[in-house]
Amino acid sequence: MEPQRDADAASSRTGVSPLDLARVIERVSRRFLDHMRLELTKLGVDDISPSQVMVLLTIGQGEIAVRDLLDRGHYVGSNASYNLKQLVESGYLERGASPRDRRLARISLSLKGQMLCERLRLLDDSSPFSQNLDFNAEADLQTTYDTLRKLEQWWSDSLRFGGVLLASCMSYSYIAPDLVSSLI
């Protein structure tokens, strides 16, 4: 496509595309990890990375199978294995075998991991952003969260079904336009 036609197409496009959203989401995620690194420094914690903290927060309370952690957190296998090994070695996680199938690994937060997560939650609760000092962030955050969850579900369904379900629904949009628009 010629440069002028590209510019015309971009200027005629209104709204935000999924690609635009993905780029913003990635930048926000990187900024959040930078913020997490700053919070860890304030706490004097230097033996864990922000990405590893996110693994701890994903695990939460209780015990979880490693496979479930991979599904829940969308971690890549070798990267997750490395992080889990580091977290066990540094005392943030406890790892054991499933009582039903000894081949399946189960993990849970150690006391050290629980304490770090609680300290980070307290910092988050006391931050000006959480206290809504300058604006009504609670409603905006809820709307953003809901929208991102819908987007996640849409992309997950696209991966799972290859877009067939959505494409077939689009062809029936004249029958149930409200239903189709809710899927988009």
Side-chain angles (χ1 to χ4, degrees), residues 1 24 33 36 44 58-60 70 79 81 83 88 93 104 118 123 129 143 149 154-155 167 170 176 182-183:
M1 190 176 251
V24 169
L33 292 176
M36 180 67 68
T58 300
I59 293 169
L70 296 175
N79 188 25
S81 296
N83 280 326
V88 169
L93 285 181
L104 299 176
E118 184 59 28
L123 274 175
F129 188 78
T143 300
R149 291 300 305 221
W154 188 84
W155 280 330
M170 291 300 286
S182 72
L183 294 172

Side-chain angles (χ1 to χ4, degrees), residues 99-113:
R100 283 184 253 156
D101 187 347
R102 309 269 319 148
R103 297 171 296 171
L104 299 176
R106 305 220 25 108
I107 53 176
S108 61
L109 298 181
S110 67
L111 182 59
K112 182 179 179 181

Side-chain angles (χ1 to χ4, degrees), residues 54-73:
M54 296 307 296
V55 172
L56 296 181
L57 294 171
T58 300
I59 293 169
Q61 299 302 317
E63 191 177 60
I64 185 172
V66 172
R67 179 76 243 164
D68 294 338
L69 175 69
L70 296 175
D71 290 342
R72 191 183 296 178

Side-chain angles (χ1 to χ4, degrees), residues 30-47:
R30 289 179 187 274
R31 292 296 73 83
F32 178 76
L33 292 176
D34 291 341
H35 173 74
M36 180 67 68
R37 184 174 289 109
L38 179 66
E39 296 298 326
L40 290 170
T41 301
K42 287 179 188 177
L43 293 174
V45 176
D46 61 0
D47 61 342

Side-chain angles (χ1 to χ4, degrees), residues 1 16 63 69 76 109 111 118 125 138 141 153 179:
M1 190 176 251
V16 177
E63 191 177 60
L69 175 69
V76 179
L109 298 181
L111 182 59
E118 184 59 28
D125 289 344
E138 190 171 335
L141 288 175
Q153 186 64 53
L179 175 63

Side-chain angles (χ1 to χ4, degrees), residues 128-144:
F129 188 78
S130 295
Q131 295 179 8
N132 305 329
L133 295 178
D134 294 303
F135 57 98
N136 185 10
E138 190 171 335
D140 289 343
L141 288 175
Q142 187 62 53
T143 300
T144 302

